[in-house]
Amino acid sequence: MALSCSYLRHGLLALSAMHYSYLELGPHQTTVYLASARSHFGQALNAYIPQVKTTTEESCPSLFAFATIVPILSWSFLQTIDTDLHGRAFLDQFTGVWNFLLGAAAVAHGGRRWIHQSSMSSLVTMRHLDNNLSELAYGPGLALQSLLDRIEQTDTTLDAMNSHVRDTSIEQASVTHVYRKSVEMLSNSFPRVTGEPARLGAAIGWPVFIDPDFLRLLKQDDPMALIITAHYGAALHAFSDFWWLERLGSLLTESIHQVLGESHRPALEWPLRQVAEKL
């Protein structure tokens, strides 16, 4: 597929170069591979973006394939090239990658029949997501239940808390629903009480599976949306043995702590403790 598709070919070359940059081959070689990854990624994006506007049966599988590796590359760059990014600057870059994930989901949804008939079919076949907090391991289960309790407790005061940052087009009842559903969906990203491990696909896909209004709230520095996303950072941290997720979870949770400040420390205690642990 990549042989006949320039953006996918450059994307895979960028991914390969970025992977090599993580292998600690020495400062000079790392710099060379990072430069190569940046160059190929730029060429890939320049060829990819115009094609998204005219998705066809022929182009849909390659568009989807490329959209699935963009987050890997983008998150790798966030952790490697932009090592000084923290706080608000990091969150801005992170939500930009979130938009790419939504783009991949849009391509998958619009061309799902074509993708299911292609070699990409296994990538759009997900296990059942049950959103059941009662089946979570003790630590994550307690933390997410605490989040739901916090949402219930603050339900009547959220308008006053967030009116200075929130888009008023999102109704209060809808906001509370978005919070709850986001936490429930996040439960699929943590280990189960049965010993079943956390699911990488569910963790990576969480931004896509939840209501798009959540991203709008996050971009507006909505406190509850930020607190929920800090717990998402803890879920990502569990996969830090993957080279492209090595520091992402800790950077995300710690950046949210910087944005919210110490006044929200009690709500962030569990995810901060999780990302501080060496896995």
Side-chain angles (χ1 to χ4, degrees):
M1 186 186 296
L3 291 175
S4 60
C5 177
S6 64
Y7 57 80
L8 186 54
R9 183 167 62 252
H10 281 295
L12 291 173
L13 288 170
L15 185 61
S16 179
M18 180 57 82
H19 188 202
Y20 269 105
S21 76
Y22 272 74
L23 298 181
E24 299 181 357
L25 301 173
H28 174 70
Q29 286 183 297
T30 296
T31 300
V32 169
Y33 281 123
L34 284 174
S36 177
R38 186 190 288 275
S39 174
H40 281 296
F41 192 30
Q43 293 178 71
L45 287 175
N46 287 337
Y48 167 77
I49 292 172
Q51 296 297 319
V52 177
K53 300 175 182 177
T54 55
T55 304
T56 64
E57 181 176 359
E58 182 179 5
S59 67
C60 188
S62 56
L63 286 170
F64 177 70
F66 180 74
T68 60
I69 66 174
V70 166
I72 298 175
L73 283 165
S74 300
W75 286 336
S76 301
F77 279 118
L78 274 178
Q79 300 171 83
T80 306
I81 293 178
D82 301 316
T83 54
D84 294 329
L85 278 181
H86 297 284
R88 165 50 49 207
F90 180 86
L91 284 178
D92 287 343
Q93 293 295 321
F94 185 86
T95 54
V97 180
W98 195 316
N99 282 326
F100 264 110
L101 283 169
L102 293 177
V107 171
H109 179 75
R112 57 190 180 280
R113 178 171 57 87
W114 299 330
I115 295 173
H116 275 294
Q117 294 172 354
S118 75
S119 57
M120 296 287 102
S121 60
S122 61
L123 295 180
V124 292
T125 303
M126 283 291 298
R127 294 172 59 185
H128 174 66
L129 302 177
D130 51 29
N131 301 353
N132 192 342
L133 270 65
S134 66
E135 294 184 3
L136 287 181
Y138 178 75
L142 192 63
L144 294 193
Q145 185 58 56
S146 177
L147 263 184
L148 289 177
D149 292 343
R150 187 178 295 271
I151 291 168
E152 294 298 330
Q153 292 166 8
T154 58
D155 194 7
T156 59
T157 59
L158 282 172
D159 277 329
M161 289 171 57
N162 301 322
S163 60
H164 66 293
V165 293
R166 181 183 304 149
D167 182 346
T168 55
S169 67
I170 308 176
E171 294 294 332
Q172 178 57 51
S174 175
V175 168
T176 304
H177 177 78
V178 169
Y179 291 156
R180 291 194 192 103
K181 290 301 179 183
S182 299
V183 173
E184 290 169 2
M185 184 60 71
L186 187 54
S187 68
N188 293 285
S189 304
F190 289 102
R192 323 306 277 182
V193 70
T194 58
E196 180 184 350
R199 308 176 191 178
L200 177 61
I204 299 304
W206 180 74
V208 171
F209 299 144
I210 61 177
D211 194 303
D213 276 340
F214 186 90
L215 180 57
R216 293 169 62 189
L217 292 165
L218 188 62
K219 288 180 176 179
Q220 295 160 19
D221 284 351
D222 179 275
M224 187 58 71
L226 285 165
I227 290 168
I228 294 169
T229 306
H231 285 71
Y232 177 52
L236 291 176
H237 182 68
F239 298 100
S240 58
D241 54 339
F242 287 80
W243 64 271
W244 48 280
L245 290 173
E246 186 177 12
R247 295 171 56 238
L248 187 69
S250 59
L251 283 170
L252 178 59
T253 300
E254 290 162 3
S255 291
I256 289 171
H257 181 214
Q258 290 181 33
V259 169
L260 285 175
E262 286 301 312
S263 62
H264 288 85
R265 176 82 190 207
L268 298 172
E269 195 65 47
W270 185 80
L272 285 171
R273 189 166 61 247
Q274 294 302 115
V275 302
E277 293 181 0
K278 299 291 184 181
L279 299 180

